[in-house]
Structure formats: structure tokens, C-alpha cells
Amino acid sequence: MAGAVPGTLAEVREQFGVWLHENTERLQELCAPGKDVTATFTAQGELQRLLFESGWIRLGWPEEVGGLGGEMILRAVVVEELCAAGYPPPFSFGTQEVLGPAVARYAPRELALELMPRLLRGEEYWCQGFSEPGAGSDLASLQCRMVADGDDWVLSGEKVWTSWAQVADRCVLLARTGAKDSGFRGITAVMLDMDTPGIDLRPLTSMNGDAEFCSLYLDDVRVPRSRTLGEVDGGWAIAMTILASERGAAAWQRQTWMRCRLQDLLRQAPGLPASVAGEAFELIHSLRLLSRRTVHALSRGEDIGATPSFDKLLMSTAEKFLFATALEYLGPTLLLESGPDADAWRNDYLYSRASSIYGGAAEIQRDIIAGRILRLPRER
Ligand SMILES: Cc1cc2nc3c(=O)[nH]c(=O)nc-3n(C[C@H](O)[C@H](O)[C@H](O)COP(=O)(O)OP(=O)(O)OC[C@H]3O[C@@H](n4cnc5c(N)ncnc54)[C@H](O)[C@@H]3O)c2cc1C
């Protein structure tokens, strides 16, 4: 970023466009698909460092945690322009937007000042330890136990579906500190270092072939109590902040990427009827408009309550429609061929099936919309 920090969306678009053009070669190198998980995350860390050093990824974060100040919407534009130029947003951007705001808000000040700059600089990666074998949709029933012992917490239990835990330096983890049946009132959030003794991590391979998920077996894992996020037994508020970011801000990144994939589909599938392409465009554009409102509200620091459930539901509807269309009109490529294009379509189709599960399943989003937003009566 040369000169003054851009303060308006138009200035970000213009100056970032120039920067993208000047850094094309380096960006192409860093955005090329890695040969394995480690290579991919190394390249993403470097991309993030490049964007941090040039200032772009620091927009909208408070100066005390390494940002440049201003509103969060400024960096939402950076992601959009990055995608429009053909570079997919790295996973690390997702983590930053999902976990970063909650840690910046709820971590003790010293901890936030220590960890946030490392996250933004791409020096470390964080994962999200919420789900358990018996607690996914019903997150409030989680049973991973955490008891106080002197200056430490001692953690025991099991987490599952923890994305990219094998490359993570830290985990934002929810554990039960109240009575077994205390529901959402007895949960506390902590920041766990992933190299702490007592963590047995086992990768799980998903249907696209990536070992994205991990099971975490925690056996008397000690976490300093100074790593508590927010209040003891007040972890539900942090979980809700994180899920609002995951359903809201992450949908913004996803729609920018889907717009690029629709362009790819139009180029590669000449037989695609205009009506089907139009429907895909309508869904993605509706998501953009909805998500734009959410990002503006988050940017103004508003409490957006349960409304990102709409974004999440529309996101998974659009994503599934787009890649089901790809399967129909690029069938032989997607099913039978190999090479970067075919692999990417196959991966995106398979991953679209997960879009109505992660961050809260589609049925749960409908339930939240019906109960908490529309206040519809429950069936007897
Ligand atoms: C790609 C991916 C990445 C993930 N990453 C993470 C991660 O990093 N960290 C993490 O903690 N978790 C992660 N998850 C887990 C995810 O949050 C859970 O899978 C999700 O919340 C659903 O929980 P579950 O798998 O236990 O399914 P269940 O809760 O057992 O649900 C099974 C089915 O029953 C339906 N159902 C359940 N309850 C109800 C109800 N009351 N009314 C109607 N229908 C209902 C659900 O909608 C679903 O279709 C990830 C999942 C995926 C797919």
C-alpha cells in the first residue's frame, strides 16, 4: 500500500487493483494448488504475510492488534477483488474472519495483543474445537470436561470434525465447566496451544480425499486459566459470536468465489442453457446482496443476532445448485478426467455437499429462522 491508508471502498478497489497487477507473478505462485496440505498451508501463510506487509489484510482491524484501523468492510472489498482477479480466498482468511473477531473481543487484553498480530501476519493458524461425537447440531450438550486446578484448567474429552487441526498452532475450544446437564450455561471457551502434552490428534479423510478433519482426544490437557476467553461459564456468547461470523462474513468470501466459478462454468460448458445459468446467477447475486448487508452490519459493530442463518442457508443453496449444474453440464470432465480443471470441479462438487452441514446444518438454520426470527409456533 503506497502512501495514505485508503479510507473508502472505491479507494481500496482502485489501489488494490493496481497492487494486484504489480504482484501478479508472486500471487500466481502462491495461489497455485499445493501438492499436499502442508505445502498449501505454507503457501497460504506466505500469501497472508505478503498481504499483511503490504497492508491490505490489516484494514479494518484495530491498530493495537496489528491492524490499520477503519471498518471491516474495507478488507471485505480486498477479498472480493482478490477473487475477481482469479485467486481463491485462502482458508486462513476464513479462519481469520471466523475466529479473529471473537478472540479480539473476548480474550484478555494481553493475550489478544500477543496472538492477534500472529494470526493476521499468517505466522500461525487456528482451528475451531466445538463439535463432539454426541454434540454437533445440539452444541449446548457438549461434554468435553474442564476443571480448575490451581492456575490451570485440566481438559478431558473428545472433539471431532476439527478442520485442519493437524496444521493448527492453536484451537479455540469449548468445554463444559458447569454441571453435566448445565446446557449452554455451563460452557467455557479457552485458547488451547496445539502442542500441549495430552492431545492425541487423528486425521479423518473426507470424501474429496482431503484429510481435512481431525479427531482430538484430550487426556488431562493443562491450559493456563489466563487462556480463558470471556467469562467462566460464559462460553456460549463466544460460540454465538463465532457462529455469526462463520455464517455471515464467511458467506461473503464464498459468494465472491462462486461468482468466479460461475464464469468458469460459462466458459467451459457451452451447452449450459441461459435459464440455468440465470438461476445460478440469481442465487449467487441474492447471496451477495444479503451478505453485503450482513458485512456492513458487522462492520458497524451491530449485534446481528440470528440473521446470518439466512446467509448460511442461501449460501449452501447457491453452492449446491452451482456445482450440481457443473456436474450436469460438465459431467464427463468432472467424473472421468484428471488434471487441474477436472480435479477442481470434482473437489468443488463434493465439497458443496458439506456446505449445508458445516457452521450448522441447513435444518438447524431453518429451525433458527422459524423460531428466533419469524417466531413461528412450534408444532405440538
Ligand atoms: C466440512 C466441514 C467442516 C467442519 N469443521 C468443523 C470445525 O472446524 N470445528 C467443529 O467444531 N466442527 C466442524 N464441523 C462439524 C459441524 O459443525 C457439524 O457436522 C454440524 O454442526 C452437524 O453436526 P453433526 O455432524 O453432529 O450432525 P447431527 O447434529 O447428528 O445432525 C445429523 C442430521 O440431523 C439433522 N438434525 C439434527 N438435529 C436436528 C433438529 N433438532 N431438527 C432437525 N434436524 C436436525 C441435521 O440437520 C443433520 O442433517 C465441520 C463439518 C463439516 C462438514
Side-chain angles (χ1 to χ4, degrees):
M1 195 181 293
V5 177
T8 67
L9 302 188
E11 284 168 0
V12 175
R13 278 192 209 285
E14 194 199 324
Q15 293 183 27
F16 187 56
V18 173
W19 185 90
L20 280 174
H21 184 68
E22 288 169 356
N23 288 275
T24 308
E25 216 173 300
R26 186 80 184 111
L27 286 166
Q28 277 173 355
E29 223 175 86
L30 295 177
C31 293
K35 61 178 189 325
D36 55 32
V37 171
T38 311
T40 304
F41 273 82
T42 305
Q44 293 195 354
E46 276 179 46
L47 171 63
Q48 196 147 342
R49 245 184 313 281
L50 181 66
L51 287 162
F52 183 90
E53 277 155 17
S54 52
W56 297 110
I57 207 72
R58 299 170 64 195
L59 291 170
W61 290 102
E63 287 174 33
E64 58 175 10
V65 298
L68 292 174
E71 287 196 34
M72 168 240 189
I73 190 89
L74 297 174
R75 65 175 188 276
V77 170
V78 169
V79 171
E80 187 172 47
E81 293 299 312
L82 191 71
C83 267
Y87 306 111
F91 304 132
S92 52
F93 282 22
T95 310
Q96 223 182 76
E97 295 304 337
V98 171
L99 301 175
V103 172
R105 178 170 166 190
Y106 289 103
R109 194 178 140 76
E110 247 175 54
L111 187 64
L113 298 190
E114 179 196 339
L115 298 187
M116 284 300 297
R118 293 192 201 160
L119 177 76
L120 302 188
R121 248 187 254 125
E123 280 173 13
E124 41 182 73
Y125 182 78
W126 300 350
C127 63
Q128 178 184 333
F130 286 14
S131 304
E132 298 178 5
S137 299
D138 185 13
L139 185 62
S141 70
L142 63 87
Q143 290 303 329
C144 181
R145 189 91 192 109
M146 192 161 76
V147 289
D149 181 25
D151 289 340
D152 290 342
W153 290 111
V154 180
L155 259 173
S156 295
E158 188 180 341
K159 293 285 168 185
V160 74
W161 314 130
T162 321
S163 292
W164 309 117
Q166 68 273 51
V167 288
D169 302 281
R170 294 174 219 283
C171 178
V172 175
L173 184 136
L174 298 178
R176 181 145 313 278
T177 38
K180 208 170 160 36
D181 58 356
S182 53
F184 71 88
R185 288 193 181 84
I187 292 172
T188 301
V190 284
M191 183 61 111
L192 167 70
D193 289 352
M194 291 299 287
D195 57 1
T196 312
I199 305 176
D200 178 9
L201 181 151
R202 299 187 203 164
L204 304 165
T205 303
S206 55
M207 69 177 166
N208 65 353
D210 285 338
E212 161 169 352
F213 309 117
C214 293
S215 277
L216 302 183
Y217 299 92
L218 306 159
D219 185 13
D220 286 344
V221 176
R222 296 190 84 87
V223 189
R225 292 190 65 169
S226 56
R227 292 295 176 108
T228 309
L229 305 176
E231 302 287 320
V232 173
D233 289 340
W236 195 247
I238 295 152
M240 292 304 103
T241 303
I242 289 173
L243 288 175
S245 298
E246 181 165 8
R247 293 166 188 164
W252 175 260
Q253 300 198 356
R254 219 66 192 152
Q255 64 80 26
T256 63
W257 167 75
M258 276 191 252
R259 280 204 292 169
C260 292
R261 293 303 272 149
L262 177 58
Q263 299 288 341
D264 294 341
L265 185 60
L266 286 167
R267 258 195 313 274
Q268 293 179 32
L272 180 67
S275 57
V276 179
E279 197 172 339
F281 178 79
E282 261 174 31
L283 282 167
I284 297 168
H285 197 64
S286 310
L287 176 63
R288 182 171 196 279
L289 296 178
L290 184 65
S291 182
R292 186 174 167 275
R293 283 176 55 159
T294 305
V295 172
H296 270 287
L298 284 170
S299 195
R300 288 191 295 264
E302 288 172 19
D303 177 7
I304 54 175
T307 56
S309 287
F310 283 116
D311 305 48
K312 176 71 206 323
L313 197 54
L314 185 52
M315 186 198 98
S316 54
T317 307
E319 191 165 334
K320 282 182 159 179
F321 184 89
L322 176 63
F323 293 107
T325 304
L327 175 62
E328 192 171 345
Y329 293 93
L330 284 178
T333 305
L334 196 150
L335 292 171
L336 304 172
E337 291 176 15
S338 55
D341 258 352
D343 292 348
W345 284 116
R346 201 161 30 247
N347 179 68
D348 293 346
Y349 171 75
L350 292 173
Y351 207 86
S352 72
R353 312 306 299 165
S355 66
S356 53
I357 304 174
Y358 63 76
E363 291 80 0
I364 300 306
Q365 306 312 319
R366 289 195 182 91
D367 201 42
I368 293 171
I369 292 167
R372 288 177 51 199
I373 300 177
L374 303 176
R375 305 215 177 267
L376 298 180
R378 285 203 171 265
E379 230 180 320
R380 277 174 190 271

